[in-house]
Amino acid sequence: MFRSARTILMTLVTALAVTVPAVPATAVPATAGPPPGIVNVAHRGASAHAPENTIEALLLAARQGADMVEFDVRETRDHALILMHDTTLARTTDVESVHPGRAPWRVADFTLDEIRELDAGSWFGSAFRGTRVPTLREALRAMSRTRLGLLVEIKTPRLHPGIERRAAVELRRSWDGPLVVQSFDWDAMRAFHRLMPDVPVGLLGTPSPGELRGLAAFAGQINPPYRDLTRDYVRAVQALGMQVFTWTTDDPGVMRRLGSYRVDGILTNWPHVLARL
């Protein structure tokens, strides 16, 4: 079902969207941008314009010129996989008013049915009132209608033993497009690689140059915060056959600098800005 890591990622690099959505001329300075071939990754969807980790944000990313969307996966009390960044539901839903007596409102303390009751859009804006927290399966089905690839982050696997296996089952069942799975937990990514060896895994963070060779045995990407990057570090990662997807910037000047380092992908909340560049 899945192509090799190199085929998947090189396909994304060589098939970047050529239709760039219109944005105001003042949104991006008129200067040289990054070189062609940088994968435009919408961070939690087009999260500057729609509530993060919702179907609305994911689909908007496609309209804003993204090549991939990144989203976060957590597990509920009854082992359902949902899109949610934080350990708790408080920041991006109305859980405090719906369930006032259940602080600190951890995702892992609620069932999927309880989470389906919550409004995950009003915090962002009244236009998104009634938006729901999607399951992983719902997100995969929605994204299958686009041509975008997915960068799926598994959050805090140590809090959810077995989440790697459950995510692998759902991805096999519901997704047949370009895919990378990433986490800050490198041991979990080693385990996921054993489950789905044809799917590239990304390691979030900035391993030392001395660690890179060992990590290249199973990792397809090293994905550091952009402030940690230097041109030499990017070259060291790429020399071992891995890619660098860096996060997260909305600044055109920073995007241009990262482009000069020849990074492979940039995560941004403003995919239309990177598309314009």
Side-chain angles (χ1 to χ4, degrees), residues 38-244:
I38 293 177
V39 179
N40 183 343
V41 187
H43 180 237
R44 306 178 198 169
S47 54
H49 296 101
E52 65 183 61
N53 283 321
T54 62
I55 300 297
E56 288 79 357
L58 302 184
L59 295 179
L60 181 58
R63 299 197 294 273
Q64 289 194 351
D67 303 304
M68 299 183 77
V69 293
E70 181 266 356
F71 57 73
D72 306 292
V73 174
R74 285 192 179 274
E75 196 167 274
T76 66
R77 192 177 77 192
D78 50 349
H79 303 297
L81 300 176
I82 64 167
L83 271 58
M84 181 65 55
H85 176 270
D86 297 0
T87 306
T88 78
L89 296 156
R91 181 175 63 88
T92 58
T93 77
D94 61 349
V95 68
E96 293 185 36
S97 59
V98 176
H99 297 287
R102 295 179 62 178
W105 302 286
R106 288 185 290 260
V107 175
D109 292 337
F110 287 79
T111 67
L112 177 58
D113 285 346
E114 290 172 329
I115 291 173
R116 287 191 186 279
E117 300 172 1
L118 304 178
D119 182 331
S122 292
W123 70 274
F124 189 89
S126 59
F128 296 97
R129 183 176 292 112
T131 298
R132 301 302 173 194
V133 176
T135 65
L136 175 58
R137 183 176 301 181
E138 289 166 347
L140 296 176
R141 288 178 175 173
M143 293 310 298
S144 69
R145 302 194 297 268
T146 74
R147 299 178 62 186
L148 272 62
L150 299 183
L151 177 58
V152 177
E153 180 176 347
I154 298 179
K155 303 297 291 186
T156 55
R158 292 176 185 175
L159 296 180
H160 313 289
I163 190 174
E164 303 96 333
R165 178 180 56 79
R166 288 184 281 276
V169 168
E170 192 58 67
L171 289 165
R172 284 195 189 99
R173 174 188 296 147
S174 304
W175 186 253
D176 194 24
L179 173 67
V180 180
V181 175
Q182 67 174 2
S183 179
F184 283 100
D185 188 324
W186 301 351
D187 288 337
M189 290 298 91
R190 195 186 303 269
F192 187 91
H193 176 68
R194 290 194 292 267
L195 292 166
M196 299 187 75
D198 291 335
V199 173
V201 296
L203 307 182
L204 285 160
T206 314
S208 69
E211 295 176 283
L212 292 175
R213 186 170 298 278
L215 297 173
F218 70 96
Q221 293 182 356
I222 301 296
N223 296 343
Y226 75 87
R227 290 183 179 87
D228 287 355
L229 283 186
T230 65
R231 184 178 283 103
D232 287 344
Y233 188 85
V234 173
R235 288 174 178 168
V237 172
Q238 293 171 338
L240 292 168
M242 297 180 289
Q243 294 191 323
V244 176

Side-chain angles (χ1 to χ4, degrees), residues 20-28 49 63-64 270-273 275-277:
V20 178
V23 293
T26 56
V28 182
H49 296 101
R63 299 197 294 273
Q64 289 194 351
W270 293 72
H272 64 292
V273 171
R276 172 103 177 173
L277 286 175

